[in-house]
Amino acid sequence: MDSTEQTKLVKLRGAGGGIGGAGTCEVFPPPPPHRGRGWRRARPGRHQSIGGEAMNENKFLSTDPGTGPMEAAKPLPFKDPNFMHSGIGGAAAGKKNRTWKNLKQILASERALPWQLNDPSYFNIDAPPSFKPAKKYSDISGLPANYTDPQSKLRFSTIEEFAYIRMLPSDVVTGYLALRKATRTQCG
Amino acid sequence: MAAGPGRVFPFRDARWAPDPVLEPGAAVRTPQPVPLVIDNGSFQTRAGWAAPGAAEPLLRFRSLAARSRGARGAAGAETQVGNDLGSPEPLRWLLRSPFDRDVPVQLELQELLFDHVFQRLGVSSQGCVDHPIILTEAVCNPLYSRQMISELLFECYQVPKVSYGVDSLYSFYHNKRQNWPCSGLIISSGYQCTHVLPVLEGRLDAKNCKRINLGGCQAAVYLQRLLQLKYPGHFAAITLSRMEEILHEHSYIGEDYIEELQKWRSPEYYENNVHKMQLPFSNKLLGSTLTSEEKQERRQQQLRRLQELNARRREEKLQLDQERLDRLLYVQTPELDPLGSEQSLEDVDSINEFEPLFAEEQPEVEKPVAAVQPVFNLAEYHQLFLGTERIRAPEIVFQPSLIGEEQAGIAETMQYVLDRYSKEQQNVLVQNVFLTGGNAMYPGLKARIQKELLEMRPFQSSFQVHLASSPILDAWYGARDWALEYMNREEGWITRKDYEEKGGEYLKEHCASNVYVPIRLPKQAPRTTEALASSKVLAASVSNSSDQV
């Protein structure tokens, strides 16, 4: 298992700049004094996916040395300094894209997994939409509103509020509408 | 509520004290490493040792990390975590959170938070964190997220064993009393979302859980937008942390929302119960520079106050004048009388005399204002008046339509969940409705839930609502209790061996955990430059893993 991994590592590493990494499994090279977030080296670990990540870390190494961030005074002793998240970028991202998947993307890929009908999952347990008609409240004061201004579509409950609405600048009006997601639609 | 006139409150704008590096006693290492309990919340992280005497988590900090953009030449991006930031509005720092809703997705930032926790708690083991870890996760946590967190814990920190649980369930078990049933309906309202969790026979019934994607964060943003629209001149001073202060200290939930709103209609109630938040201001602007915008601001503010307080007076005055006008008009109707012309002249005079009264009315309306406040009251200009805003912001979890969300509110969701059970089970569930979570601390929430239950339950059926003893910290306490009880047992712990054999998404169930769905997640494909056909590599790694295992 290890030898195939090692050969993979050696092949992929190319012009690698790092100390160690292509060596044995168990030896961790000493962390550089200026380790930071970009300083991940290939971890000759047990998991084959790490083999590919060595490739990425090479890229990190080649670009980072000049801009080495000066972080903690000393590296934290309790963690493995050579650890690399396998999730950066994800499968779909190209080599330039180093962002994490956001929740929407994670859920999209989770939906594709073989769930059974009754299995609970994060997207299954979303609360259903409301069946009751929404009560209308004044945008200004929050009191129950019986009236809507036809010009600005804001809701109001008293005459004074109406006068106030008619004097509002347009950005405040759109602000109130956006607050209840009633931004103008192109309905006829 | 205050019986007197509405009081003026300053903003505390408290700054956070940085966490010191603690020196744990030798007891955390001997005779065996003590478990570390981390309640990893989207709002706040609470961490501490699971020692029997632990009164509260040693570390409590906002789950935020900030990176300075490193514009200062050679010194690159520095990071600060949690309480080191000082305040949630740091200048020149880019504030980030590892959470997206209630799930950690930015694992680099999560790593920073863990670093902070381990370092400040004084973890001294070399090359690994030698203590078992208990970590909270979201309800029905996505497998990907658990996989990433497990990888972080096992591979970066070399933790011996990990246990995942749901914070609301830990809180539930911490609050169990002698004669409480092991079943109940948990309503857990946090920073980002609110869950309705039925628990039957001591185990979470995960397929019937429901989650409303609204919590304290959305309430704070809503309140912020409301106040910014009401006081456009104070846009920058209305910050999220001040909104949180208002929510924590000046907001409440009305037992009957419409009734409460009607109370706020009356000007006396308003005067007695408005909370005026004083924004900090300096006296430099006193008197001199009343630019046109400020004049407009002042006029708008005064108009608002006039509308709210002087409406009746104006109406009465108008009524009197209207009567007088009627009388004069009636008198003015021409009579075919030679003497009528004289009379009409008189009347015309009186009418002319009357006209200026109308013309005067407008400036007269403004004059009392000028008379009442001869000096521009700078302090009042910098005050935010909280009237109905005090109950509107927390109400969004009950009526998401207030902010245009389509999801049902807490009451309707509770009914939906209950309807999925038989009558006997429903009865069992409502005997123990349990409220927990930071967003459940508004005064009046318990009464409101009781009223909603009264409306939805059959006539003359019984129900019981309980509030957690400490809604924010109970999750940590419950996890600590669990750790103390299960420290030396095998159940509930995912060991390193389990992680390697069954993958990061593996979960060992226990009384306070999610339900494990045995779906194997493909190992994350590495990025290769050769073939960006990630599917190929994915297939290769999956087949490799099947070979290996």
Side-chain angles (χ1 to χ4, degrees), chain B residues 317-519:
Chain B
K317 200 162 173 229
L318 272 172
Q319 228 177 1
L320 279 172
D321 291 336
Q322 185 70 26
E323 282 174 357
R324 214 176 138 202
L325 174 64
D326 285 346
R327 261 184 284 127
L328 290 171
L329 279 175
Y330 174 75
V331 169
Q332 195 192 11
T333 50
E335 290 156 355
L336 302 172
D337 191 355
L339 286 177
S341 53
E342 279 183 9
Q343 215 176 7
S344 56
L345 269 175
E346 272 179 54
D347 298 331
V348 167
D349 283 344
S350 64
I351 285 184
N352 287 340
E353 171 192 320
F354 186 66
E355 290 293 332
L357 266 177
F358 264 127
E360 268 173 38
E361 169 138 89
Q362 275 307 326
E364 219 174 275
V365 158
E366 288 188 20
K367 255 211 231 148
V369 169
V372 161
Q373 293 162 339
V375 180
F376 176 56
N377 193 341
L378 200 63
E380 273 209 26
Y381 174 68
H382 286 276
Q383 278 173 6
L384 307 174
F385 283 49
L386 302 175
T388 50
E389 287 82 9
R390 290 174 65 198
I391 54 172
R392 282 164 88 183
E395 181 70 16
I396 59 171
V397 282
F398 286 94
Q399 299 189 58
S401 55
L402 282 173
I403 52 175
E405 289 287 326
E406 281 179 356
Q407 283 191 310
I410 289 185
E412 208 179 327
T413 307
M414 269 166 49
Q415 175 141 50
Y416 182 85
V417 168
L418 287 174
D419 283 344
R420 291 158 82 113
Y421 291 98
S422 68
K423 290 256 181 306
E424 298 81 34
Q425 285 176 318
Q426 287 182 19
N427 223 4
V428 166
L429 287 175
V430 297
Q431 293 311 317
N432 189 9
V433 175
F434 180 68
L435 307 173
T436 182
N439 201 37
M441 289 178 66
Y442 299 111
L445 178 69
K446 183 168 166 186
R448 175 65 178 271
I449 298 275
Q450 282 173 327
K451 172 202 157 254
E452 301 283 356
L453 277 172
L454 189 62
E455 284 180 1
M456 72 171 82
R457 292 303 294 155
F459 181 58
Q460 288 184 342
S461 64
S462 69
F463 53 81
Q464 281 266 326
V465 178
H466 301 109
L467 187 58
S469 49
S470 159
I472 302 185
L473 292 180
D474 272 351
W476 189 88
Y477 291 139
R480 179 206 60 190
D481 296 343
W482 187 92
L484 290 174
E485 192 182 326
Y486 284 74
M487 195 151 56
N488 295 317
R489 290 149 73 161
E490 263 205 27
E491 35 185 298
W493 292 101
I494 304 167
T495 60
R496 198 187 168 104
K497 192 156 166 299
D498 289 328
Y499 165 71
E500 286 164 15
E501 286 175 0
K502 306 183 188 163
E505 66 276 11
Y506 178 62
L507 172 70
K508 262 268 188 63
E509 292 191 10
H510 55 87
C511 62
S513 80
N514 273 319
V515 165
Y516 175 53
V517 180
I519 293 182

Side-chain angles (χ1 to χ4, degrees), chain A residues 127-147:
Chain A
S130 169
F131 285 108
K132 306 197 174 144
K135 296 219 166 69
K136 298 195 184 137
Y137 299 100
S138 157
D139 291 304
I140 313 293
S141 66
L143 303 171
N146 294 328
Y147 318 106

Side-chain angles (χ1 to χ4, degrees), chain B residues 16-31:
Chain B
W16 305 325
D19 300 311
V21 178
L22 301 167
E23 285 289 329
V28 302
R29 298 300 303 277
T30 58

Side-chain angles (χ1 to χ4, degrees), chain A residues 1-12 21-22 25 43-52 54, chain B residues 544 548:
Chain A
M1 149 174 108
D2 282 351
S3 57
T4 51
E5 256 186 60
Q6 296 306 324
T7 44
K8 229 202 277 179
L9 266 176
V10 165
K11 255 195 254 174
L12 292 174
C25 279
R43 197 177 90 88
R46 292 167 270 275
H47 299 276
Q48 62 288 347
S49 56
I50 304 281
Chain B
N544 272 349
Q548 305 251 336

